[in-house]
Amino acid sequence: MARPRKPLLSRERIVSAALALVDAEGLQSVSTRRLAAELGVSGPSLYNHFATKDEILDAVADTVVAQVDLSMFDGGPDWRAALLGWGRSYRAALTAHPHIVPFLAQGPGRRPAGLRMADAVFGGMTAAGWPPAHATRIGALMRYFVAGSALGSFARGFVDDASAYDPADYPHLGQAHLLADHQHRVDEGAFETGLTALVDGLVLQYQRLTAIGG
Amino acid sequence: MARPRKPLLSRERIVSAALALVDAEGLQSVSTRRLAAELGVSGPSLYNHFATKDEILDAVADTVVAQVDLSMFDGGPDWRAALLGWGRSYRAALTAHPHIVPFLAQGPGRRPAGLRMADAVFGGMTAAGWPPAHATRIGALMRYFVAGSALGSFARGFVDDASAYDPADYPHLGQAHLLADHQHRVDEGAFETGLTALVDGLVLQYQRLTAIGG
DNA sequence: ACCTGAACACCGTTCAAGT
DNA sequence: ACCTGAACACCGTTCAAGT
């Protein structure tokens, strides 16, 4: 068979198969041949729809980021609640597809969903009274925190094996092996603690700013 | 030539050549054959010193994290200053070798330098009066923020091309293409703003905690 | 336009062979 | 013990050929 009367592939079909494969088996398992096999075609077929494999993964990353709720930014002047809500939705979108996060972090500048997000945050913060330079920084620092939390699950690093943590080497890590069990709880707790601290700290800065300004 | 009278390679030589190659050309350029060529040997020779390529990269990541200054944690009870100093040193160590950061984030649990760091932070925070559960979270959330900031330079995402940001699509990104120029400044500003906010927010939490406790 | 198989220049890793 | 070349099962991507 050569060219079929109706196309076998489409960008959407390729992207959703790639996302399913990433979720099921991780980034490593996404090769062009493997992905093509999953779609019932041969490897080179993909190049009729995307120029490179990276372009496919870019599109996958974009659909993940597109899941982030941005509605809180056209609401009103409660930027504190908006940041909290956005942060949680952003993190939820990433942790739903953890294997794509390392790729996602490589630079969202050309991905529409990332741009929409940056635009919404900037617009929301400036509308709430933040100067433009601050609004830019807030968008960036929130992204750092959320991406970092989704990427490197802190607790995932600890092995479920007491012998790995000799108290002579690490006097304070006696319970570290237990963390493997509580992985989720530690990550969620650290994320919530950090998110709250971040927003609380920004409130202080906002107060200083308006005290000087007004 | 087969086995030389004195070994041509050592783990240290391999790791430092790998780090130099990562810094010069990025993670993608580190293949076993290329790295071996850089060392004047053939590809499979590396397997006499490391079991896998990932083990080599793990060792590279470890040497990077080993650069982080941890002295502030055995100083005294000023946990605020310790977190600020640690955060800056941590970020400096990572941004000195940006190409290894995506790999580094994959999980530091088995890397000695990462464990020493976690241990020092935990010890410092508990010594300063934080309950153990909080100390764990603080170590994690700081790592999220620093890793995120080193990994995904926010500004790097924006292209130096005004036409990429149609105001019809992104009403608030009119100046976005200028960010490419100010990349460093934006990242540093966002990092400092976020670090300060984070620590300020933790101070509030600490006050609440001790107010309830005492 | 959209698929195919063959081909190119790579990978990480294994292994028998050499000293 | 530590290096080598050959080999295995893969890669991403190109391209001429088919309809």
Side-chain angles (χ1 to χ4, degrees):
Chain A
M1 146 201 0
R3 179 188 178 218
R5 332 161 87 249
K6 260 202 98 185
L8 298 175
L9 296 178
S10 68
R11 288 175 66 95
E12 297 81 48
R13 254 174 56 68
I14 292 170
V15 168
S16 83
L19 180 55
L21 188 53
V22 171
D23 285 347
E25 308 191 21
L27 252 189
Q28 281 198 344
S29 295
V30 184
S31 72
T32 54
R33 281 170 239 257
R34 175 71 198 283
L35 175 57
E38 218 76 33
L39 287 158
V41 299
S42 79
S45 306
L46 301 171
Y47 291 86
N48 286 295
H49 303 269
F50 289 93
T52 62
K53 180 187 164 184
D54 270 17
E55 255 189 32
I56 299 177
L57 291 176
D58 262 328
V60 170
D62 200 58
T63 69
V64 169
V65 175
Q67 303 303 310
V68 180
D69 183 11
L70 300 173
S71 61
M72 56 284 285
F73 290 113
D74 37 51
D78 188 358
W79 61 269
R80 200 183 174 286
L83 284 185
L84 291 171
W86 171 50
R88 292 183 183 119
S89 171
Y90 191 2
R91 176 177 145 90
L94 301 193
T95 53
H97 308 283
H99 292 124
I100 194 71
V101 177
F103 184 86
L104 190 145
Q106 282 185 201
R110 296 161 193 278
R111 293 197 282 262
L115 289 170
R116 266 196 305 276
M117 190 164 78
D119 190 63
V121 176
F122 185 87
M125 292 302 106
T126 50
W130 283 99
H134 288 72
T136 301
R137 274 184 232 130
I138 290 172
L141 67 91
M142 287 285 293
R143 199 175 77 94
Y144 298 161
F145 181 66
V146 172
S149 86
L151 178 74
S153 158
F154 177 79
R156 197 191 314 153
F158 291 95
V159 192
D160 193 8
D161 172 10
S163 71
Y165 305 101
D166 188 328
D169 294 334
Y170 313 111
H172 310 294
L173 292 185
Q175 313 293 82
H177 68 287
L178 298 176
L179 285 175
D181 290 334
H182 307 311
Q183 193 183 110
H184 260 315
R185 225 170 314 167
V186 169
D187 275 332
E188 301 255 323
F191 175 75
E192 279 298 323
T193 301
L195 181 64
T196 305
L198 221 33
V199 174
D200 283 352
L202 289 175
V203 168
L204 292 182
Q205 246 175 285
Y206 190 81
Q207 288 167 352
R208 266 175 240 139
L209 207 74
T210 50
I212 294 168
Chain B
M1 147 202 359
R3 181 190 177 217
R5 337 166 80 250
K6 260 204 98 186
L8 298 174
L9 296 177
S10 67
R11 290 175 65 96
E12 296 82 51
R13 252 173 59 68
I14 293 170
V15 168
S16 83
L19 180 56
L21 188 52
V22 170
D23 285 347
E25 307 191 21
L27 252 188
Q28 280 197 345
S29 295
V30 184
S31 72
T32 54
R33 281 170 238 258
R34 176 70 199 283
L35 175 56
E38 218 76 34
L39 287 157
V41 297
S42 80
S45 306
L46 301 171
Y47 290 86
N48 287 295
H49 304 268
F50 289 95
T52 63
K53 180 188 164 182
D54 270 16
E55 256 189 32
I56 298 176
L57 292 177
D58 262 327
V60 170
D62 200 58
T63 69
V64 170
V65 175
Q67 302 303 310
V68 180
D69 183 11
L70 300 173
S71 62
M72 56 284 285
F73 290 113
D74 38 51
D78 188 356
W79 61 268
R80 200 182 174 285
L83 284 185
L84 291 171
W86 170 50
R88 290 183 185 122
S89 171
Y90 191 2
R91 176 177 144 90
L94 301 192
T95 53
H97 309 282
H99 292 126
I100 195 71
V101 178
F103 184 88
L104 190 145
Q106 280 184 205
R110 296 163 192 278
R111 293 196 284 260
L115 290 170
R116 266 195 304 276
M117 191 165 76
D119 190 63
V121 177
F122 185 87
M125 292 303 106
T126 50
W130 283 98
H134 287 72
T136 301
R137 272 184 234 130
I138 290 172
L141 68 88
M142 286 285 293
R143 198 175 78 93
Y144 298 161
F145 181 66
V146 172
S149 85
L151 180 73
S153 158
F154 178 79
R156 196 189 315 152
F158 292 94
V159 192
D160 192 8
D161 172 10
S163 70
Y165 306 100
D166 188 327
D169 294 332
Y170 313 109
H172 309 293
L173 293 183
Q175 312 292 83
H177 68 285
L178 297 177
L179 286 175
D181 290 336
H182 306 310
Q183 193 183 111
H184 261 313
R185 224 169 317 168
V186 169
D187 275 333
E188 301 255 323
F191 175 76
E192 279 298 324
T193 301
L195 182 64
T196 305
L198 221 33
V199 174
D200 283 353
L202 288 175
V203 168
L204 293 182
Q205 245 174 285
Y206 190 81
Q207 289 167 351
R208 266 176 239 136
L209 207 73
T210 50
I212 293 167

